[in-house]
Amino acid sequence: MHPSGYDRLQSQVIPGYGSLARLAVALLSSSPAAQVSGSSILVAGCGTGAELLEAIAQRPDWNLTALDPSEEMLTASRQRLGEAPSISWHQATVEGFVAGGEAAGGYAGALSVLVLQSLPDDGSKLAYLSALAKCLQPGAQLVLVDLMRSSLTSLEPQLDAAWDRFQRASGLDVTRELLPSEGLHPIGLARLTSLVNAAGFGDPARVFQALGFEGFLLQRQG
Ligand SMILES: C[S@@+](CC[C@H](N)C(=O)[O-])C[C@H]1O[C@@H](n2cnc3c(N)ncnc32)[C@H](O)[C@@H]1O
């Protein structure tokens, strides 16, 4: 997705997008490991910088590592954040960052907002989650926000219709704009649990939900 217009489109499509980054940072900031002043925090798939802006506002003491494989997104994010000295920027996937030997399991927390959903469940989701786990200290938490597949299949038509209405009511012209939901690979809670366990995390604890968008706290196992 091109960064121009990204934030406006996301808030028209994703219920609660305007407070998503604030909430994700507040949750991670309250975790035992990341409460410590000067903690190193990984922002995976930083996109146009929503989580980084919030992290700097809420926790100016954190040392942030921002990763995104997209040059356009990283450039947009850097322009938005300016020369923030507490951010180290990397044009990389989390998997590539770990394979390059730059992450040594020293991170006290990580944020992954709307990233896993774009990876197919063909080994790519597991590789991404395993790389995130390798970055984290034992006991450190990951805040994971993603589009999920509903476990209540009988409710799916109603939820889909409500999402469509939400987007139209938010001013989205669904006949003209390319929906960010296209090309996504949402999974259900059972599959997510099995993937995060295999990657080295405990069971996901759901901390919020708006239609299909769900937020989880995951703890890196020791
Ligand atoms: C939908 S955007 C979300 C951006 C931001 N987190 C937000 O919520 O606004 C997903 C971002 O993840 C990045 N991405 C995709 N695969 C990734 C991977 N394996 N590791 C890190 N980032 C990835 C994409 O380039 C894109 O910028």
Side-chain angles (χ1 to χ4, degrees), residues 27 143-146 148 205-210 213-217:
L27 280 162
V143 176
L144 178 79
V145 181
D146 234 36
M148 298 287 293
R206 186 192 285 111
V207 284
F208 64 87
Q209 175 170 7
F213 294 92
E214 301 187 32
F216 300 92
L217 278 177

Side-chain angles (χ1 to χ4, degrees), residues 3-59:
S4 130
Y6 171 85
D7 298 286
R8 180 186 59 83
L9 187 57
Q10 291 295 76
S11 22
Q12 288 174 316
V13 169
I14 298 171
Y17 183 73
S19 56
L20 205 51
R22 199 175 344 138
L23 180 55
V25 170
L27 280 162
L28 188 61
S29 188
S30 309
S31 73
Q35 270 180 22
V36 178
S37 183
S39 293
S40 294
I41 302 297
L42 187 71
V43 181
C46 65
T48 56
E51 298 95 77
L52 293 167
L53 267 182
E54 269 303 327
I56 283 182
Q58 291 187 37
R59 291 296 302 266

Side-chain angles (χ1 to χ4, degrees), residues 135-149:
C135 292
L136 293 171
Q137 304 163 4
Q141 290 182 358
L142 163 69
V143 176
L144 178 79
V145 181
D146 234 36
L147 177 64
M148 298 287 293
R149 186 176 289 157

